[in-house]
Amino acid sequence: MGVGESGGTGESGGAGESGAGEEGRARARARARGAGRVRRVLLALVVAVAVVAPLAAFARPQIPAPAPAVLPPVTAATLDEAYAANRANAAEAARMAAANGDRKRAAADRSMAVSTRRFLSFDGRGTGQAVEVFGDLAHADRVAVLVPGSDTTLDTYDRFRAGATALMDEVATRSPEGGHRTRTARAAHTAVVSWLGYETPRTISTTVLTTGRAESAAPRLESFVRELRGLVGQDARISLLCHSYGSVVCARTAERADRQGAGLQGTGLQGEARVDDIVLIGSPGTGADSAAALHTSARVWAGRGAGDWIADVPHAGADLFGTTVGFGTDPVSPAFGARVFAAGDGGHSDYFRPGSVSLDNLARIVLGDTSEVTRA
């Protein structure tokens, strides 16, 4: 009896343990196959862009332009001086581009030299960089900073600028209660900044699959936010609206607060560079596993339109040839932990489309009407 019970128990326990072990191994194999598929997809993307990108590079020659204007730190009292100096620099860049036979760039630079334009910085060299202000920054207590994604240059800047003006128009017609009227005092104290403060990657390139450009941009964005915070004051509300690859830039900037031990200098988006909201729109991922990993006191939001192709990009990371390719967890997934808002049915370039659900929610976030934001 004892031997029989023992044998029976042994057989039952062995089968249970064997079944549990087999199930665990099956799950592990499934995870491995999934990771393998992701690596293969990412590797295919790397190979494809490695072939195409060098050919595309021939279509992007260096464009001559003057060095950026040398200006003192910007204050409310020196804003007009900065605007005038950068317009003059844009005018000179237009002359140099025209003399070089680049009519498209000359036209773009010339439009930026118009007396109504207000740039905190301008650099017409190469693909170009510019930081433009919409609204009265000197008296603003709410500021939205737009951070662009790939293929944003001076040649394509009007497309980026259109998003900033659409947001400004939306804010300007919104009442404190969330409805609409001609103009409100609150909207009059809101400014929008289009921050093309880094060299964006090309959509068809190896750089768009890694954090390299974002790593380079992060200290610049942190420095800009710190300067902006000094200009508008500690009580002002600052929101970062980060589109596509721009969400990687914002995330890497925020993460600097947790990486000083690695020899980095900076505070991330805290302290004198504190922001109130970080909004990730059309994001391929951030390089962080979760919103908590960004180490920021800001509210982290995420939105994606139903027609945005970015949803089909593998939200994972893989180590290929010693470089991490891909940006990890999908920011609109529950696992990431962001506040997910409704972005309508638009595509990758439609988040600032006038009349859209996404623009309505972005304006609510910028104005601080966070309880009125519609959730996805």
Side-chain angles (χ1 to χ4, degrees):
M1 178 72 70
V3 173
E5 288 175 350
S6 175
T9 303
E11 289 173 4
S12 173
E17 290 172 2
S18 176
E22 182 58 34
E23 183 180 347
R25 286 191 291 274
R27 284 197 299 267
R29 286 194 296 271
R31 285 195 297 269
R33 285 195 298 270
R37 282 194 296 271
V38 169
R39 282 194 292 271
R40 287 193 294 273
V41 170
L42 292 173
L43 180 58
L45 289 172
V46 170
V47 172
V49 297
V51 171
V52 175
L55 299 177
F58 288 108
R60 193 179 245 188
Q62 290 298 308
I63 298 170
V70 179
L71 298 168
V74 176
T75 66
T78 63
L79 273 174
D80 287 341
E81 177 186 345
Y83 295 156
N86 286 310
R87 285 194 298 268
N89 192 276
E92 178 59 23
R95 286 190 288 270
M96 293 178 69
N100 194 56
D102 194 326
R103 289 183 293 178
K104 181 178 181 181
R105 174 57 68 85
D109 291 341
R110 198 175 298 115
S111 70
M112 295 180 177
V114 173
S115 61
T116 54
R117 305 292 288 270
R118 291 174 289 186
F119 290 95
L120 291 174
S121 64
F122 176 86
D123 186 351
R125 299 172 297 180
T127 57
Q129 296 180 23
V131 179
E132 187 170 12
V133 174
F134 306 87
D136 185 359
L137 188 59
H139 298 96
D141 53 25
R142 292 171 177 81
V143 183
V145 180
L146 275 58
V147 181
S150 61
D151 283 331
T152 308
T153 68
L154 291 189
D155 292 324
T156 63
Y157 179 78
D158 282 350
R159 175 175 73 192
F160 178 42
R161 185 177 192 268
T165 57
L167 177 61
M168 193 67 202
D169 289 344
E170 180 70 17
V171 166
T173 57
R174 184 170 295 281
S175 77
E177 293 74 31
H180 290 76
R181 65 186 188 190
T182 304
R183 194 168 183 85
T184 69
R186 185 174 62 163
H189 287 274
T190 301
V192 175
V193 178
S194 58
W195 186 81
L196 177 53
Y198 78 110
E199 184 179 355
T200 65
R202 291 183 66 95
T203 299
I204 301 178
S205 70
T206 52
T207 53
V208 81
L209 301 175
T210 70
T211 61
R213 292 288 173 88
E215 295 283 3
S216 298
R220 298 182 182 186
L221 181 57
E222 180 188 312
S223 177
F224 172 74
V225 173
R226 182 178 293 105
E227 184 176 19
L228 180 63
R229 179 61 74 185
L231 177 64
V232 300
Q234 290 299 312
D235 293 332
R237 181 188 186 91
I238 297 178
S239 305
L240 292 185
L241 277 53
C242 318
H243 179 244
S244 195
Y245 189 86
S247 64
V248 186
V249 173
C250 291
R252 303 312 277 183
T253 306
E255 288 182 300
R256 283 169 59 81
D258 190 52
R259 297 164 62 206
Q260 292 183 64
L264 295 176
Q265 299 297 318
T267 61
L269 297 174
Q270 299 190 58
E272 294 179 350
R274 176 180 58 82
V275 299
D276 298 274
D277 296 276
I278 299 174
V279 188
L280 312 172
I281 46 180
S283 175
T286 64
D289 291 332
S290 66
L294 299 180
H295 300 283
T296 176
S297 59
R299 285 172 290 268
V300 179
W301 303 82
R304 184 169 66 219
D308 192 341
W309 56 262
I310 206 75
D312 297 323
V313 171
H315 290 282
D319 186 15
L320 299 174
F321 313 121
T323 300
T324 300
V325 178
F327 304 112
T329 310
D330 186 347
V332 301
S333 69
F336 190 77
R339 303 178 183 212
V340 181
F341 64 92
D345 59 0
H348 194 62
S349 301
D350 295 333
Y351 293 97
F352 295 93
R353 186 181 64 203
S356 65
V357 173
S358 57
L359 182 60
D360 180 77
N361 278 324
L362 291 172
R364 293 174 190 269
I365 293 170
V366 169
L367 289 172
D369 296 332
T370 55
S371 63
E372 300 297 323
V373 174
T374 55
R375 299 298 186 92

